[in-house]
Amino acid sequence: MKPFDPAQFQNESATELGQKLWVFLNRADIFGRMETATDLGQPALQGVEEQLLATFGEAILADRIKQMIGRMVRQIMESNGFEHVTSDVRLNSVPFYKASRYRRRDQAMVYVFKSSENPREMLISATRNPEKPVLERGKWVYINAVTSGLKAQIGYGFDLKAAAAKAAQAPFRHHMARVMRAG
């Protein structure tokens, strides 16, 4: 276990609570939960909220402590082959209402937008805020950040690695074919 780099959380990390949180978040079972949440496209902290509350109770409700926990999680995830993708992902939960999302460093990722008029018409992009082509009717609506090859293939009908390579050049349209037709 590497030592925690507290930066602006020097005072909080020097407390007994700060030390216990660092040890707790570095446990293999807790990291496994963060890894699973990340692999499912969720913020890493979402996978350990219950365990943090059960172990530390109200002590983790202070904003500075929650922010320090977020910094700890980021250091743990990055030291284990993950990279930070986005901050401020909304959680409707206690104790965290926002958290960061991560992905494996070698993992492909694209952002999917759907037409509000035709849900089979999609825009695939390498960024969350791409230059979107104009639609004749409707608008582009953000759907999801896709990091799973299976979800991309089965749910949206495209190869994730090929789409990521193509989206790196420019956002592109994708039409999802119907899986089943009326008899």
Side-chain angles (χ1 to χ4, degrees):
M1 175 172 59
K2 293 181 180 178
F4 175 53
D5 175 15
Q8 71 269 28
F9 300 105
Q10 289 281 351
N11 295 337
E12 293 82 3
S13 70
T15 65
E16 183 180 349
L17 175 61
Q19 299 298 310
K20 286 182 178 181
L21 280 166
W22 182 245
V23 170
F24 176 83
L25 291 169
N26 274 284
R27 286 183 7 202
D29 63 318
I30 297 301
F31 175 74
R33 289 175 170 277
M34 293 189 296
E35 182 179 35
T36 299
T38 298
D39 286 342
L40 293 172
Q42 301 301 316
L45 268 172
Q46 198 165 11
V48 296
E49 289 177 314
E50 292 286 327
Q51 291 70 28
L52 281 165
L53 284 170
T55 304
F56 299 101
E58 291 180 12
I60 63 167
L61 296 179
D63 284 342
R64 289 289 291 174
I65 299 299
K66 290 189 288 188
Q67 291 166 356
M68 180 180 68
I69 291 169
R71 181 172 175 84
M72 288 177 171
V73 168
R74 184 171 183 160
Q75 287 181 27
I76 292 165
M77 297 301 287
E78 288 178 346
S79 70
N80 283 285
F82 291 83
E83 64 185 0
H84 183 262
V85 174
T86 187
S87 300
D88 298 333
V89 176
R90 294 201 65 135
L91 304 175
N92 292 325
S93 186
V94 171
F96 304 101
Y97 58 91
K98 290 183 186 174
S100 290
R101 185 177 290 134
Y102 302 89
R103 71 172 175 203
R104 295 179 188 278
R105 281 194 189 100
D106 60 349
Q107 185 175 37
M109 180 171 132
V110 295
Y111 295 89
V112 178
F113 299 81
K114 284 188 179 180
S115 163
S116 61
E117 293 290 317
N118 178 2
R120 296 197 175 286
E121 186 70 25
M122 291 184 249
L123 178 71
I124 311 296
S125 172
T127 65
R128 176 72 166 80
N129 296 310
E131 189 68 34
K132 299 177 187 108
V134 176
L135 287 170
E136 294 171 16
R137 293 188 346 218
K139 62 181 183 174
W140 292 112
V141 179
Y142 173 72
I143 299 298
N144 200 4
V146 179
T147 57
S148 164
L150 282 174
K151 287 180 182 179
Q153 187 65 52
I154 295 170
Y156 299 112
F158 63 82
D159 177 84
L160 180 60
K161 289 190 179 187
K166 188 173 179 181
Q169 305 303 312
F172 68 94
R173 288 182 178 211
H174 169 71
H175 185 79
M176 187 169 72
R178 291 185 81 143
V179 176
M180 299 172 69
R181 299 202 188 277

mmCIF file of all heavy atoms in Angstrom, residues 56-76:
data_model
loop_
_atom_site.group_PDB
_atom_site.id
_atom_site.type_symbol
_atom_site.label_atom_id
_atom_site.label_comp_id
_atom_site.label_asym_id
_atom_site.label_seq_id
_atom_site.Cartn_x
_atom_site.Cartn_y
_atom_site.Cartn_z
ATOM 1 N N PHE A 56 -17.847 3.438 9.350
ATOM 2 C CA PHE A 56 -17.483 4.738 9.926
ATOM 3 C C PHE A 56 -18.667 5.588 10.364
ATOM 4 O O PHE A 56 -18.491 6.586 11.047
ATOM 5 C CB PHE A 56 -16.613 5.526 8.935
ATOM 6 C CG PHE A 56 -15.330 4.827 8.605
ATOM 7 C CD1 PHE A 56 -15.181 4.128 7.424
ATOM 8 C CD2 PHE A 56 -14.266 4.850 9.492
ATOM 9 C CE1 PHE A 56 -14.003 3.476 7.114
ATOM 10 C CE2 PHE A 56 -13.076 4.199 9.198
ATOM 11 C CZ PHE A 56 -12.947 3.509 8.011
ATOM 12 N N GLY A 57 -19.872 5.237 9.944
ATOM 13 C CA GLY A 57 -21.067 5.963 10.371
ATOM 14 C C GLY A 57 -21.054 7.433 9.997
ATOM 15 O O GLY A 57 -20.564 7.829 8.938
ATOM 16 N N GLU A 58 -21.584 8.251 10.892
ATOM 17 C CA GLU A 58 -21.737 9.681 10.655
ATOM 18 C C GLU A 58 -20.415 10.413 10.486
ATOM 19 O O GLU A 58 -20.397 11.539 9.976
ATOM 20 C CB GLU A 58 -22.530 10.323 11.796
ATOM 21 C CG GLU A 58 -23.976 9.913 11.837
ATOM 22 C CD GLU A 58 -24.730 10.575 12.985
ATOM 23 O OE1 GLU A 58 -24.194 11.517 13.608
ATOM 24 O OE2 GLU A 58 -25.854 10.149 13.250
ATOM 25 N N ALA A 59 -19.335 9.809 10.884
ATOM 26 C CA ALA A 59 -18.022 10.469 10.796
ATOM 27 C C ALA A 59 -17.654 10.839 9.365
ATOM 28 O O ALA A 59 -16.859 11.754 9.148
ATOM 29 C CB ALA A 59 -16.937 9.570 11.392
ATOM 30 N N ILE A 60 -18.235 10.157 8.381
ATOM 31 C CA ILE A 60 -17.863 10.453 6.988
ATOM 32 C C ILE A 60 -18.824 11.427 6.311
ATOM 33 O O ILE A 60 -18.702 11.685 5.124
ATOM 34 C CB ILE A 60 -17.747 9.163 6.140
ATOM 35 C CG1 ILE A 60 -19.088 8.459 6.044
ATOM 36 C CG2 ILE A 60 -16.662 8.268 6.680
ATOM 37 C CD1 ILE A 60 -19.120 7.392 4.986
ATOM 38 N N LEU A 61 -19.775 11.984 7.057
ATOM 39 C CA LEU A 61 -20.754 12.890 6.457
ATOM 40 C C LEU A 61 -20.237 14.310 6.253
ATOM 41 O O LEU A 61 -20.821 15.063 5.479
ATOM 42 C CB LEU A 61 -22.040 12.917 7.287
ATOM 43 C CG LEU A 61 -22.805 11.597 7.346
ATOM 44 C CD1 LEU A 61 -24.047 11.746 8.205
ATOM 45 C CD2 LEU A 61 -23.163 11.091 5.968
ATOM 46 N N ALA A 62 -19.164 14.685 6.908
ATOM 47 C CA ALA A 62 -18.605 16.032 6.732
ATOM 48 C C ALA A 62 -18.070 16.187 5.306
ATOM 49 O O ALA A 62 -17.418 15.277 4.768
ATOM 50 C CB ALA A 62 -17.500 16.277 7.747
ATOM 51 N N ASP A 63 -18.336 17.338 4.712
ATOM 52 C CA ASP A 63 -17.927 17.564 3.319
ATOM 53 C C ASP A 63 -16.434 17.369 3.090
ATOM 54 O O ASP A 63 -16.028 16.757 2.103
ATOM 55 C CB ASP A 63 -18.338 18.965 2.851
ATOM 56 C CG ASP A 63 -19.827 19.056 2.559
ATOM 57 O OD1 ASP A 63 -20.476 18.004 2.390
ATOM 58 O OD2 ASP A 63 -20.345 20.188 2.490
ATOM 59 N N ARG A 64 -15.595 17.888 3.984
ATOM 60 C CA ARG A 64 -14.141 17.741 3.816
ATOM 61 C C ARG A 64 -13.731 16.269 3.854
ATOM 62 O O ARG A 64 -12.831 15.848 3.128
ATOM 63 C CB ARG A 64 -13.370 18.511 4.898
ATOM 64 C CG ARG A 64 -13.407 20.003 4.766
ATOM 65 C CD ARG A 64 -12.610 20.523 3.612
ATOM 66 N NE ARG A 64 -11.181 20.341 3.815
ATOM 67 C CZ ARG A 64 -10.274 20.616 2.907
ATOM 68 N NH1 ARG A 64 -10.625 21.094 1.736
ATOM 69 N NH2 ARG A 64 -8.992 20.421 3.149
ATOM 70 N N ILE A 65 -14.361 15.485 4.693
ATOM 71 C CA ILE A 65 -14.039 14.051 4.779
ATOM 72 C C ILE A 65 -14.463 13.359 3.485
ATOM 73 O O ILE A 65 -13.715 12.557 2.926
ATOM 74 C CB ILE A 65 -14.695 13.403 6.015
ATOM 75 C CG1 ILE A 65 -14.192 14.051 7.313
ATOM 76 C CG2 ILE A 65 -14.492 11.901 6.014
ATOM 77 C CD1 ILE A 65 -12.690 13.922 7.544
ATOM 78 N N LYS A 66 -15.649 13.690 2.982
ATOM 79 C CA LYS A 66 -16.106 13.081 1.728
ATOM 80 C C LYS A 66 -15.182 13.464 0.568
ATOM 81 O O LYS A 66 -14.865 12.623 -0.272
ATOM 82 C CB LYS A 66 -17.546 13.493 1.421
ATOM 83 C CG LYS A 66 -18.560 12.878 2.373
ATOM 84 C CD LYS A 66 -19.977 13.110 1.947
ATOM 85 C CE LYS A 66 -20.394 14.535 2.132
ATOM 86 N NZ LYS A 66 -21.843 14.757 1.901
ATOM 87 N N GLN A 67 -14.739 14.709 0.547
ATOM 88 C CA GLN A 67 -13.813 15.142 -0.507
ATOM 89 C C GLN A 67 -12.484 14.396 -0.389
ATOM 90 O O GLN A 67 -11.902 13.988 -1.400
ATOM 91 C CB GLN A 67 -13.594 16.648 -0.418
ATOM 92 C CG GLN A 67 -14.816 17.447 -0.792
ATOM 93 C CD GLN A 67 -14.699 18.917 -0.388
ATOM 94 O OE1 GLN A 67 -13.733 19.334 0.239
ATOM 95 N NE2 GLN A 67 -15.704 19.697 -0.759
ATOM 96 N N MET A 68 -12.018 14.206 0.842
ATOM 97 C CA MET A 68 -10.769 13.472 1.051
ATOM 98 C C MET A 68 -10.936 12.013 0.608
ATOM 99 O O MET A 68 -10.033 11.445 -0.020
ATOM 100 C CB MET A 68 -10.334 13.524 2.518
ATOM 101 C CG MET A 68 -9.035 12.760 2.775
ATOM 102 S SD MET A 68 -8.505 12.819 4.493
ATOM 103 C CE MET A 68 -9.785 11.840 5.277
ATOM 104 N N ILE A 69 -12.076 11.426 0.902
ATOM 105 C CA ILE A 69 -12.340 10.053 0.459
ATOM 106 C C ILE A 69 -12.275 9.980 -1.061
ATOM 107 O O ILE A 69 -11.691 9.060 -1.631
ATOM 108 C CB ILE A 69 -13.700 9.546 1.000
ATOM 109 C CG1 ILE A 69 -13.626 9.357 2.518
ATOM 110 C CG2 ILE A 69 -14.108 8.251 0.303
ATOM 111 C CD1 ILE A 69 -14.971 9.109 3.171
ATOM 112 N N GLY A 70 -12.854 10.968 -1.733
ATOM 113 C CA GLY A 70 -12.781 11.017 -3.191
ATOM 114 C C GLY A 70 -11.348 11.078 -3.691
ATOM 115 O O GLY A 70 -10.985 10.403 -4.654
ATOM 116 N N ARG A 71 -10.511 11.864 -3.032
ATOM 117 C CA ARG A 71 -9.099 11.948 -3.413
ATOM 118 C C ARG A 71 -8.402 10.613 -3.166
ATOM 119 O O ARG A 71 -7.579 10.166 -3.970
ATOM 120 C CB ARG A 71 -8.400 13.071 -2.652
ATOM 121 C CG ARG A 71 -6.937 13.212 -3.025
ATOM 122 C CD ARG A 71 -6.308 14.451 -2.411
ATOM 123 N NE ARG A 71 -4.878 14.506 -2.681
ATOM 124 C CZ ARG A 71 -4.338 14.982 -3.786
ATOM 125 N NH1 ARG A 71 -5.106 15.446 -4.747
ATOM 126 N NH2 ARG A 71 -3.030 14.993 -3.953
ATOM 127 N N MET A 72 -8.726 9.969 -2.063
ATOM 128 C CA MET A 72 -8.135 8.663 -1.757
ATOM 129 C C MET A 72 -8.509 7.640 -2.825
ATOM 130 O O MET A 72 -7.656 6.904 -3.328
ATOM 131 C CB MET A 72 -8.597 8.180 -0.379
ATOM 132 C CG MET A 72 -8.006 8.919 0.773
ATOM 133 S SD MET A 72 -8.701 8.322 2.348
ATOM 134 C CE MET A 72 -7.632 9.164 3.512
ATOM 135 N N VAL A 73 -9.788 7.614 -3.167
ATOM 136 C CA VAL A 73 -10.259 6.659 -4.178
ATOM 137 C C VAL A 73 -9.551 6.903 -5.503
ATOM 138 O O VAL A 73 -9.127 5.960 -6.174
ATOM 139 C CB VAL A 73 -11.795 6.727 -4.321
ATOM 140 C CG1 VAL A 73 -12.265 5.974 -5.561
ATOM 141 C CG2 VAL A 73 -12.459 6.172 -3.072
ATOM 142 N N ARG A 74 -9.390 8.162 -5.871
ATOM 143 C CA ARG A 74 -8.712 8.462 -7.137
ATOM 144 C C ARG A 74 -7.284 7.929 -7.132
ATOM 145 O O ARG A 74 -6.834 7.319 -8.103
ATOM 146 C CB ARG A 74 -8.712 9.970 -7.401
ATOM 147 C CG ARG A 74 -8.103 10.304 -8.753
ATOM 148 C CD ARG A 74 -8.302 11.746 -9.114
ATOM 149 N NE ARG A 74 -7.774 11.991 -10.450
ATOM 150 C CZ ARG A 74 -8.111 13.007 -11.194
ATOM 151 N NH1 ARG A 74 -8.989 13.892 -10.759
ATOM 152 N NH2 ARG A 74 -7.588 13.178 -12.392
ATOM 153 N N GLN A 75 -6.568 8.124 -6.046
ATOM 154 C CA GLN A 75 -5.185 7.632 -5.968
ATOM 155 C C GLN A 75 -5.148 6.107 -6.026
ATOM 156 O O GLN A 75 -4.281 5.516 -6.682
ATOM 157 C CB GLN A 75 -4.501 8.145 -4.706
ATOM 158 C CG GLN A 75 -4.155 9.605 -4.795
ATOM 159 C CD GLN A 75 -3.457 10.133 -3.559
ATOM 160 O OE1 GLN A 75 -2.789 9.388 -2.847
ATOM 161 N NE2 GLN A 75 -3.603 11.418 -3.306
ATOM 162 N N ILE A 76 -6.088 5.472 -5.370
ATOM 163 C CA ILE A 76 -6.134 4.001 -5.370
ATOM 164 C C ILE A 76 -6.448 3.487 -6.774
ATOM 165 O O ILE A 76 -5.785 2.578 -7.282
ATOM 166 C CB ILE A 76 -7.154 3.488 -4.340
ATOM 167 C CG1 ILE A 76 -6.662 3.794 -2.928
ATOM 168 C CG2 ILE A 76 -7.414 1.993 -4.523
ATOM 169 C CD1 ILE A 76 -7.727 3.658 -1.845
#
